[in-house]
Amino acid sequence: MTRTPVDATTTPAWTALSEHHAALIPDLRGWFAADPDRAARLTRTVGDLHVDLSKNLVTDETLGLLVELAEQVGLAERIQAMLSGEHINVTEDRAVLHTALRRPAGAEPSLLVDGQDVDGDVQAVLAQVGDFAEKVRNGSWSGVTGRRVETVVNIGIGGSDLGPVMAYEALKPYVKPGLQVRFVSNIDPTDLAETVADLDPTTTLFIVASKTFTTLETLTNARLARAWLWRRLQEEGVIDDSEQAKKDAVAQHFVAVSTALDKVAEFGIDPANAFGFWDWVGGRYSMDSAIGTSLAIAIGPERFREMLAGFHAVDEHLRSTPFERNVPVLMGLLNVWYVNFFDAHTHAVLPYAQYLHRFAAYLQQLTMESNGKSVRWDGTPVTSQTGEVFWGEPGTNGQHAFYQLIHQGTRLVPADFLAVATPAHPLVDDAAEGAPDVHELFLANFFAQTKALAFGKTAEEVRAEGTAEEIVPARVFSGNRPTTSIMAPALTPSVLGQLIALYEHITFVQGIVWGIDSFDQWGVELGKKLAAQIAPAVAGDTAALEAQDPSTRGLIDYYLAHRAR
């Protein structure tokens, strides 16, 4: 495997794409009118996902050139390198093996990396998490009073929070009745205080998710949660103030997702109740590891394994499907097309499924922490724009908020629309004329928005409606706003796994074209280090305050003057 990235901008395919883009006049109306088979020809399938690429600003020639670009930057080689455990995370000298988390038991050939039996390690932890989840679900794991767990509070941040909370919200119909999961991530004390305010300490289980068990936000919140547990149990007369009573309470009401067993034990958690993961799993790629323990408890080990199978189906599709039909490859290449040739700065993800309301927030970390880079994996500057801002909200909420900009603004905003055919709650509006199926009304909006964005509305069509001439320009829609539509039969655990894996691999493909290391995240480090240096100044240390720049010093002065004690 080459250690130096191919400069995509020097490839023949990039040159051809530049010339092709210069000559291209996007005309989705015309393209569809002239080509009745366009939609069928540009629709792909991966697992249970039906992916319509036909409303993108591409021709067959465009897609052919994009596939050539993938070939010329060595994408196939990099896919194989990732799946086989080569150290493609160059700056940290690590393998990138989130795909190993969902390999089925007994997969052949077995995966050995750096002398370690990766498959055996993964299956052992998965079994440990599954056994623990069953104990919580059947009541054999209980709190200090013997009462079964009713609420799980996951304490983590970044990938230890965004993935689990997104998946929990997405799969709520599968959550065991009588169980709920809540999530604490923000070091703002309000987050923890509001999360536990109405909880019963005797039926609450905390999961502290931190690989090194040193993450500032997570450990601060864990200590606050432990103090809350002790105080509330004492108030209810369940335990006394002895160290042994406190130790027993923590042992029954706290578990950890961490590999730092010494620090776990020091906190008071039994190391036997610590579920590990590995340095080849980046936080934003870890929700299908032990980081997903809270989800495994909520939906059960069997459903959790169904989700893993969904992930694996897309992994296999990436590995084995020719690029011209490979959905994550094509979608990643389309993103490159818009970022580098259309100067798109953002990308909207718009789920027409309320249970996916946290999906865009999850993708923000996955995509922007991965591809928000300005140097290539060999340390040289990038040679093109990289990354885009991912954002979105569920439809139809977004229609009444920001769709105006997508439809008629001056910025091109490529958008992915997500929907399922069968809702979790098929409701009928009996009070409305005709008693319409509400999901049908909902999806009518889904279909209408991508149609409107693609084909727009001409001035002639506006005039034909009798619109006053002076208002006509304001009611014209240019169309040619690119979208990809992704549909599935229903939002099952397997489908959720497929969606997540799809975007993981889209992100990877973009990173390879740009020659960047999509698996490190050095950009998050500087602010954390500075926060540790500034903390004494915030606490009133005069010397530390004087060492700050004038702006920072002025802001701290304001805080010190106005903080109510």
Side-chain angles (χ1 to χ4, degrees):
M1 181 186 72
T2 177
R3 305 303 295 178
T4 302
V6 175
D7 182 351
T9 66
T10 67
T11 62
W14 190 281
T15 300
L17 281 165
S18 298
E19 295 170 352
H20 172 66
H21 175 260
L24 184 71
I25 301 175
D27 182 15
L28 286 170
R29 278 197 181 210
W31 293 344
F32 272 87
D35 182 4
D37 296 327
R38 178 180 171 88
R41 193 174 65 258
L42 297 184
T43 294
R44 302 287 186 269
T45 300
V46 50
D48 296 309
L49 305 181
H50 176 90
V51 182
D52 181 357
L53 304 174
S54 66
K55 294 190 182 80
N56 281 282
L57 304 184
V58 294
T59 64
D60 291 342
E61 181 184 1
T62 315
L63 291 178
L65 290 172
L66 288 170
V67 167
E68 288 180 19
L69 178 64
E71 294 168 346
Q72 290 171 16
V73 298
L75 177 59
E77 179 188 33
R78 300 297 291 185
I79 290 172
Q80 180 56 34
M82 177 177 70
L83 296 176
S84 64
E86 292 192 43
H87 287 209
I88 67 169
N89 180 350
V90 177
T91 69
E92 297 178 295
D93 191 23
R94 292 175 179 172
V96 174
L97 282 172
H98 48 283
T99 54
L101 298 170
R102 49 263 197 160
R103 280 167 57 93
E108 293 291 343
S110 58
L111 185 59
L112 299 174
V113 177
D114 299 333
Q116 196 68 26
D117 178 6
V118 172
D119 287 333
D121 291 346
V122 168
Q123 292 302 319
V125 172
L126 186 59
Q128 183 190 15
V129 169
D131 290 346
F132 178 73
E134 282 295 356
K135 289 178 182 177
V136 174
R137 289 168 63 84
N138 65 29
S140 59
W141 178 283
S142 62
V144 289
T145 65
R147 293 182 61 189
R148 65 191 304 153
V149 171
E150 296 176 1
T151 303
V152 176
V153 178
N154 187 88
I155 302 175
I157 197 166
S160 299
D161 170 76
L162 289 165
V165 69
M166 176 275 293
Y168 174 75
E169 292 294 323
L171 298 178
K172 268 191 173 177
Y174 296 90
V175 173
K176 179 180 175 65
L179 261 180
Q180 64 168 326
V181 182
R182 298 185 183 183
F183 298 85
V184 175
S185 59
N186 200 333
I187 199 173
D188 182 338
T190 302
D191 194 7
L192 180 77
E194 290 290 341
T195 299
V196 302
D198 62 343
L199 294 184
D200 182 339
T202 66
T203 60
T204 300
L205 172 69
F206 293 95
I207 300 176
V208 184
S210 172
K211 184 186 295 185
T212 62
F213 224 69
T214 59
T215 308
L216 173 65
E217 296 89 344
T218 300
L219 268 294
T220 299
N221 280 324
R223 289 189 294 268
L224 293 174
R226 183 178 61 183
W228 172 85
L229 178 74
W230 287 339
R231 184 179 69 255
R232 293 285 288 109
L233 289 176
Q234 289 178 48
E235 289 172 353
E236 296 191 11
V238 174
I239 66 171
D240 56 33
D241 194 34
S242 68
E243 290 304 311
Q244 186 60 50
K246 291 180 177 179
K247 180 180 178 181
D248 292 343
V250 172
Q252 289 302 116
H253 290 269
F254 277 81
V255 298
V257 179
S258 178
T259 54
L261 298 185
D262 54 339
K263 294 182 175 66
V264 167
E266 184 180 338
F267 184 88
I269 297 172
D270 186 342
N273 298 322
F275 312 107
F277 57 118
W278 307 269
D279 64 7
W280 42 255
V281 183
R284 55 193 177 276
Y285 295 91
S286 68
M287 65 143 294
D288 46 337
S289 71
I291 288 294
T293 298
S294 60
L295 180 66
I297 293 171
I299 66 173
E302 182 178 349
R303 296 293 193 186
F304 193 82
R305 285 187 179 272
E306 289 176 14
M307 184 184 71
L308 297 182
F311 275 98
H312 184 66
V314 179
D315 297 342
E316 285 298 293
H317 175 91
L318 175 75
R319 182 187 63 81
S320 62
T321 306
F323 286 172
E324 60 269 15
R325 301 205 62 79
N326 193 308
V327 176
V329 168
L330 291 174
M331 289 184 68
L333 292 171
L334 284 171
N335 289 356
V336 169
W337 175 235
Y338 294 125
V339 169
N340 295 119
F341 296 92
F342 284 84
D343 194 31
H345 291 198
T346 78
H347 191 110
V349 179
L350 308 169
Y352 279 67
Q354 182 61 28
Y355 282 124
L356 287 174
H357 71 102
R358 293 291 296 169
F359 194 58
Y362 168 74
L363 291 183
Q364 286 173 348
Q365 186 197 19
L366 172 64
T367 60
M368 293 193 282
E369 195 168 85
S370 293
N371 288 343
K373 311 288 171 62
S374 57
V375 296
R376 302 191 301 165
W377 73 64
D378 64 349
T380 59
V382 297
T383 58
S384 68
Q385 293 294 319
T386 66
E388 64 265 66
V389 176
F390 271 73
W391 58 284
E393 282 287 330
T396 55
N397 297 5
Q399 293 176 203
H400 294 269
F402 51 77
Y403 277 38
Q404 168 66 42
L405 183 146
I406 301 177
H407 278 285
Q408 291 185 308
T410 58
R411 282 284 183 193
L412 185 76
V413 182
D416 299 342
F417 282 71
L418 283 58
V420 297
T422 304
H425 306 286
L427 300 179
V428 172
D429 185 359
D430 293 319
E433 183 178 352
D437 181 306
V438 178
H439 191 62
E440 291 177 0
L441 292 176
F442 188 41
L443 287 202
N445 280 274
F446 168 84
F447 300 127
Q449 289 298 324
T450 61
K451 182 174 183 176
L453 287 163
F455 306 126
K457 192 172 188 178
T458 67
E460 289 72 21
E461 289 169 335
V462 175
R463 290 189 184 98
E465 296 174 341
T467 304
E469 187 61 32
E470 64 270 19
I471 302 176
V472 167
R475 296 193 176 184
V476 169
F477 291 74
S478 65
N480 294 318
R481 308 289 176 126
T483 64
T484 295
S485 296
I486 303 173
M487 298 193 71
L491 186 54
T492 63
S494 175
V495 164
L496 180 65
Q498 292 168 42
L499 281 171
I500 298 168
L502 173 63
Y503 280 93
E504 287 178 344
H505 297 323
I506 289 170
T507 302
F508 170 69
V509 169
Q510 291 179 254
I512 297 307
V513 173
W514 291 324
I516 58 179
D517 185 342
S518 296
F519 304 102
D520 63 12
Q521 55 280 328
W522 297 106
V524 306
E525 297 298 323
L526 178 58
K528 292 194 294 186
K529 290 182 178 179
L530 290 177
Q533 296 170 13
I534 291 172
V538 179
D541 185 313
T542 303
L545 181 61
E546 288 301 315
Q548 305 306 317
D549 66 89
S551 174
T552 303
R553 188 165 60 247
L555 292 169
I556 296 172
D557 281 339
Y558 179 89
Y559 162 76
L560 293 172
H562 291 81
R563 169 67 189 268
R565 298 288 183 177

